[in-house]
Amino acid sequence: MFISLWEFFYGHFFRFWMKWVLRQMTGKCELQRIFDTYGGAQRTYRIENSLTYSKSKVLQNATRVAESELDRCVADIMKEKNICPKKDTSFQICMRTCLLQITGYKQLYQDVENVRKKPYDSGNAQHEKLLLKLWNLLMPTEKLKARISKQWADIGFQGDDPKTDFRGMGILGLINLVYFSEKYTSEAHQILSRSNHPKLGYSYAIVGINLTEMAYSLLKSEALKLHLYNFVPGIPTMEHFHQFYCYLVCEFDKFWLEEEPESIMYFNLYREKFHEKIKGLLMDYNAVLTLKT
């Protein structure tokens, strides 16, 4: 209750007067002061908050501007805040970069969501081709005897037909598995081998799909913002999402082996523990979680 009241009064009264006082003292608006004080993800994150909670519709709408309208949008912001281009020569460049990251993150979520919503379709030749590609990448010396086969368990699927395991994450789960296996083939083979450990083993493909869900939920909750704002100087893309997924796969494998769970039956417990660890790392303003090979 107290926190809600504070947020209301801060957003509607204190913040406005604080900004007004600082402008009188420095001769600069809040956006300019952020650019002068912060860098990296912290700069973009603070700019985003300033725009979002502004009373100006021009500033609020800037967080949703199309890429083709960026230059006009920056000019409108400068006009709204009475910023002279000759006096503050770097503002336009800095604001444009921040807006690319802010709007790019929103677009990335939509792109990922659109792929996630597409169910695996065994009648789709491209989907089937992608599934067989996964097998060939992970088991290059062993031929798949039939499309529906118990062999799929060798790479960590639950049943004879992997399509049933993709329900939660749709085709996105398969795309991520193939991406990691293709870009980091050696690491994929090593992790698959370790996943078959008699005591510490786990279902490689099922865990991979589970980690797709984790990456997706972190993106949706905006927990990935600081990482992507640091890692990508412009517009984040699906490639960057896949790269983060690869990081999760390798880090989870290390985490699982270090924790030495008594049984796979405790998977959900350790999965949540790993999730909390990643969320903690992502709260750092300097967060850059990338795969080091």
Side-chain angles (χ1 to χ4, degrees):
M1 178 67 177
F2 175 77
I3 294 175
S4 298
L5 284 173
W6 165 248
E7 289 178 345
F8 174 80
F9 282 109
Y10 176 77
H12 288 78
F13 301 103
F14 298 142
R15 185 172 181 271
F16 170 79
W17 288 108
M18 189 184 299
K19 287 169 61 179
W20 183 84
V21 170
L22 289 172
R23 175 127 199 184
Q24 300 308 307
M25 292 174 60
T26 64
K28 294 183 176 183
C29 71
E30 183 178 46
L31 298 174
Q32 290 173 296
R33 295 195 300 272
I34 291 172
F35 285 137
D36 288 347
T37 309
Y38 303 100
Q42 192 170 6
R43 167 187 283 184
T44 303
Y45 190 75
R46 287 177 179 272
I47 288 293
E48 183 174 13
N49 283 338
S50 181
L51 295 173
T52 300
Y53 295 110
S54 172
K55 292 184 178 181
S56 166
K57 291 296 181 182
V58 172
L59 271 62
Q60 289 178 16
N61 294 335
T63 62
R64 300 183 295 274
V65 68
E67 185 180 357
S68 60
E69 296 294 316
L70 269 179
D71 291 331
R72 178 196 58 76
C73 180
V74 173
D76 289 344
I77 291 173
M78 296 180 75
K79 181 179 179 181
E80 179 79 6
K81 305 304 292 183
N82 296 314
I83 299 171
C84 177
K86 293 182 179 179
K87 290 184 179 180
D88 194 338
T89 55
S90 64
F91 183 89
Q92 187 172 6
I93 296 173
C94 292
M95 180 56 73
R96 193 178 194 282
T97 300
C98 285
L99 290 181
L100 279 175
Q101 293 180 309
I102 293 166
T103 58
Y105 189 96
K106 296 178 189 296
Q107 185 58 53
L108 174 59
Y109 169 68
Q110 287 301 320
D111 292 342
V112 171
E113 177 70 349
N114 289 338
V115 178
R116 186 193 69 84
K117 285 181 177 178
K118 293 179 181 177
Y120 182 90
D121 181 6
S122 56
N124 185 313
Q126 291 301 316
H127 291 188
E128 288 288 286
K129 183 178 179 180
L130 201 60
L131 181 59
L132 292 176
K133 182 178 182 179
L134 176 65
W135 174 269
N136 291 329
L137 284 167
L138 293 175
M139 307 291 282
T141 61
E142 186 172 338
K143 184 177 176 61
L144 186 65
K145 297 175 182 177
R147 166 61 181 79
I148 298 178
S149 167
K150 293 188 181 299
Q151 285 179 284
W152 289 111
D154 295 342
I155 60 173
F157 285 104
Q158 288 181 326
D160 296 349
D161 190 347
K163 74 175 184 179
T164 58
D165 292 325
F166 293 119
R167 287 172 183 165
M169 286 290 107
I171 194 65
L172 181 64
L174 177 57
I175 290 173
N176 271 344
L177 283 167
V178 171
Y179 182 93
F180 178 66
S181 301
E182 187 169 34
K183 295 290 184 179
Y184 302 98
T185 307
S186 176
E187 288 80 3
H189 287 167
Q190 291 171 25
I191 293 174
L192 176 62
S193 176
R194 287 194 291 270
S195 74
N196 289 318
H197 189 279
K199 182 182 177 182
L200 300 176
Y202 56 85
S203 300
Y204 176 87
I206 295 300
V207 169
I209 295 170
N210 202 285
L211 292 174
T212 289
E213 191 281 328
M214 186 180 295
Y216 165 76
S217 67
L218 289 168
L219 178 70
K220 184 178 181 180
S221 69
E222 301 187 347
L224 276 189
K225 277 188 175 179
L226 296 179
H227 160 69
L228 288 175
Y229 287 169
N230 279 322
F231 185 50
V232 187
I235 302 173
T237 65
M238 286 290 290
E239 180 78 11
H240 300 115
F241 177 78
H242 294 324
Q243 283 289 326
F244 178 70
Y245 167 80
C246 293
Y247 169 84
L248 290 182
V249 172
C250 290
E251 288 300 308
F252 179 81
D253 180 66
K254 288 192 291 185
F255 173 83
W256 181 263
L257 295 176
E258 288 170 0
E259 291 289 325
E260 297 185 346
E262 294 179 20
S263 164
I264 190 65
M265 299 298 292
Y266 294 98
F267 173 78
N268 287 336
L269 176 66
Y270 285 94
R271 189 255 190 210
E272 189 55 32
K273 188 176 179 180
F274 177 70
H275 191 194
E276 290 301 315
K277 176 184 177 181
I278 296 299
K279 285 196 292 185
L281 294 174
L282 289 169
M283 291 176 68
D284 185 348
Y285 276 120
N286 299 312
V288 180
L289 306 187
T290 56
L291 183 58
K292 296 177 177 63
T293 58

mmCIF file of all heavy atoms in Angstrom, residues 76-91:
data_model
loop_
_atom_site.group_PDB
_atom_site.id
_atom_site.type_symbol
_atom_site.label_atom_id
_atom_site.label_comp_id
_atom_site.label_asym_id
_atom_site.label_seq_id
_atom_site.Cartn_x
_atom_site.Cartn_y
_atom_site.Cartn_z
ATOM 1 N N ASP A 76 11.487 15.706 -33.544
ATOM 2 C CA ASP A 76 10.310 16.115 -32.764
ATOM 3 C C ASP A 76 10.637 16.190 -31.269
ATOM 4 O O ASP A 76 10.165 17.081 -30.559
ATOM 5 C CB ASP A 76 9.152 15.144 -32.992
ATOM 6 C CG ASP A 76 8.545 15.269 -34.381
ATOM 7 O OD1 ASP A 76 8.808 16.290 -35.052
ATOM 8 O OD2 ASP A 76 7.805 14.343 -34.788
ATOM 9 N N ILE A 77 11.453 15.232 -30.797
ATOM 10 C CA ILE A 77 11.851 15.230 -29.389
ATOM 11 C C ILE A 77 12.683 16.469 -29.079
ATOM 12 O O ILE A 77 12.474 17.146 -28.051
ATOM 13 C CB ILE A 77 12.651 13.953 -29.047
ATOM 14 C CG1 ILE A 77 11.742 12.728 -29.100
ATOM 15 C CG2 ILE A 77 13.304 14.074 -27.665
ATOM 16 C CD1 ILE A 77 12.477 11.406 -28.936
ATOM 17 N N MET A 78 13.606 16.784 -29.957
ATOM 18 C CA MET A 78 14.469 17.947 -29.747
ATOM 19 C C MET A 78 13.659 19.242 -29.755
ATOM 20 O O MET A 78 13.917 20.160 -28.975
ATOM 21 C CB MET A 78 15.558 17.978 -30.815
ATOM 22 C CG MET A 78 16.515 16.797 -30.739
ATOM 23 S SD MET A 78 17.812 16.807 -31.991
ATOM 24 C CE MET A 78 18.894 18.090 -31.344
ATOM 25 N N LYS A 79 12.655 19.285 -30.608
ATOM 26 C CA LYS A 79 11.782 20.461 -30.658
ATOM 27 C C LYS A 79 10.945 20.556 -29.384
ATOM 28 O O LYS A 79 10.789 21.634 -28.797
ATOM 29 C CB LYS A 79 10.874 20.379 -31.885
ATOM 30 C CG LYS A 79 9.946 21.575 -32.052
ATOM 31 C CD LYS A 79 9.102 21.421 -33.316
ATOM 32 C CE LYS A 79 8.156 22.621 -33.466
ATOM 33 N NZ LYS A 79 7.305 22.487 -34.694
ATOM 34 N N GLU A 80 10.418 19.408 -28.948
ATOM 35 C CA GLU A 80 9.584 19.361 -27.744
ATOM 36 C C GLU A 80 10.356 19.799 -26.499
ATOM 37 O O GLU A 80 9.815 20.475 -25.621
ATOM 38 C CB GLU A 80 9.045 17.935 -27.557
ATOM 39 C CG GLU A 80 8.182 17.719 -26.338
ATOM 40 C CD GLU A 80 6.756 18.222 -26.511
ATOM 41 O OE1 GLU A 80 6.404 18.640 -27.646
ATOM 42 O OE2 GLU A 80 5.998 18.184 -25.529
ATOM 43 N N LYS A 81 11.642 19.417 -26.435
ATOM 44 C CA LYS A 81 12.462 19.711 -25.255
ATOM 45 C C LYS A 81 13.355 20.935 -25.445
ATOM 46 O O LYS A 81 14.204 21.225 -24.588
ATOM 47 C CB LYS A 81 13.329 18.493 -24.899
ATOM 48 C CG LYS A 81 12.553 17.198 -24.681
ATOM 49 C CD LYS A 81 11.478 17.322 -23.621
ATOM 50 C CE LYS A 81 12.026 17.513 -22.229
ATOM 51 N NZ LYS A 81 10.963 17.565 -21.197
ATOM 52 N N ASN A 82 13.154 21.655 -26.545
ATOM 53 C CA ASN A 82 13.926 22.883 -26.817
ATOM 54 C C ASN A 82 15.437 22.638 -26.798
ATOM 55 O O ASN A 82 16.203 23.379 -26.167
ATOM 56 C CB ASN A 82 13.577 23.981 -25.802
ATOM 57 C CG ASN A 82 12.127 24.412 -25.905
ATOM 58 O OD1 ASN A 82 11.625 24.634 -27.012
ATOM 59 N ND2 ASN A 82 11.455 24.547 -24.768
ATOM 60 N N ILE A 83 15.844 21.565 -27.464
ATOM 61 C CA ILE A 83 17.270 21.223 -27.541
ATOM 62 C C ILE A 83 17.844 21.760 -28.842
ATOM 63 O O ILE A 83 17.361 21.420 -29.929
ATOM 64 C CB ILE A 83 17.474 19.700 -27.462
ATOM 65 C CG1 ILE A 83 16.926 19.173 -26.127
ATOM 66 C CG2 ILE A 83 18.949 19.335 -27.619
ATOM 67 C CD1 ILE A 83 16.890 17.661 -26.038
ATOM 68 N N CYS A 84 18.860 22.593 -28.750
ATOM 69 C CA CYS A 84 19.481 23.186 -29.930
ATOM 70 C C CYS A 84 20.544 22.245 -30.488
ATOM 71 O O CYS A 84 21.495 21.889 -29.774
ATOM 72 C CB CYS A 84 20.119 24.526 -29.565
ATOM 73 S SG CYS A 84 20.983 25.302 -30.951
ATOM 74 N N PRO A 85 20.430 21.812 -31.742
ATOM 75 C CA PRO A 85 21.396 20.883 -32.337
ATOM 76 C C PRO A 85 22.831 21.412 -32.321
ATOM 77 O O PRO A 85 23.783 20.632 -32.195
ATOM 78 C CB PRO A 85 20.892 20.714 -33.777
ATOM 79 C CG PRO A 85 19.456 21.103 -33.731
ATOM 80 C CD PRO A 85 19.356 22.161 -32.688
ATOM 81 N N LYS A 86 22.988 22.725 -32.421
ATOM 82 C CA LYS A 86 24.339 23.310 -32.453
ATOM 83 C C LYS A 86 24.985 23.310 -31.068
ATOM 84 O O LYS A 86 26.204 23.208 -30.949
ATOM 85 C CB LYS A 86 24.275 24.734 -32.999
ATOM 86 C CG LYS A 86 23.874 24.801 -34.479
ATOM 87 C CD LYS A 86 23.862 26.234 -34.975
ATOM 88 C CE LYS A 86 23.483 26.287 -36.456
ATOM 89 N NZ LYS A 86 23.440 27.690 -36.974
ATOM 90 N N LYS A 87 24.163 23.415 -30.034
ATOM 91 C CA LYS A 87 24.695 23.415 -28.676
ATOM 92 C C LYS A 87 24.934 22.004 -28.147
ATOM 93 O O LYS A 87 25.830 21.771 -27.345
ATOM 94 C CB LYS A 87 23.738 24.154 -27.743
ATOM 95 C CG LYS A 87 23.683 25.661 -27.969
ATOM 96 C CD LYS A 87 22.784 26.323 -26.939
ATOM 97 C CE LYS A 87 22.745 27.841 -27.134
ATOM 98 N NZ LYS A 87 21.871 28.493 -26.128
ATOM 99 N N ASP A 88 24.097 21.067 -28.568
ATOM 100 C CA ASP A 88 24.238 19.671 -28.131
ATOM 101 C C ASP A 88 24.339 18.799 -29.381
ATOM 102 O O ASP A 88 23.364 18.221 -29.853
ATOM 103 C CB ASP A 88 23.030 19.258 -27.282
ATOM 104 C CG ASP A 88 23.273 17.950 -26.528
ATOM 105 O OD1 ASP A 88 24.156 17.182 -26.969
ATOM 106 O OD2 ASP A 88 22.597 17.702 -25.526
ATOM 107 N N THR A 89 25.549 18.719 -29.915
ATOM 108 C CA THR A 89 25.766 18.047 -31.206
ATOM 109 C C THR A 89 25.623 16.523 -31.143
ATOM 110 O O THR A 89 25.383 15.884 -32.160
ATOM 111 C CB THR A 89 27.173 18.383 -31.743
ATOM 112 O OG1 THR A 89 28.153 18.026 -30.742
ATOM 113 C CG2 THR A 89 27.295 19.877 -32.033
ATOM 114 N N SER A 90 25.786 15.944 -29.941
ATOM 115 C CA SER A 90 25.747 14.477 -29.835
ATOM 116 C C SER A 90 24.356 13.935 -29.527
ATOM 117 O O SER A 90 24.126 12.723 -29.638
ATOM 118 C CB SER A 90 26.724 14.012 -28.748
ATOM 119 O OG SER A 90 26.325 14.506 -27.482
ATOM 120 N N PHE A 91 23.427 14.800 -29.148
ATOM 121 C CA PHE A 91 22.112 14.338 -28.715
ATOM 122 C C PHE A 91 21.407 13.520 -29.790
ATOM 123 O O PHE A 91 20.863 12.455 -29.511
ATOM 124 C CB PHE A 91 21.226 15.525 -28.313
ATOM 125 C CG PHE A 91 19.878 15.117 -27.795
ATOM 126 C CD1 PHE A 91 19.682 14.866 -26.448
ATOM 127 C CD2 PHE A 91 18.793 14.948 -28.654
ATOM 128 C CE1 PHE A 91 18.438 14.467 -25.960
ATOM 129 C CE2 PHE A 91 17.544 14.557 -28.177
ATOM 130 C CZ PHE A 91 17.384 14.311 -26.825
#
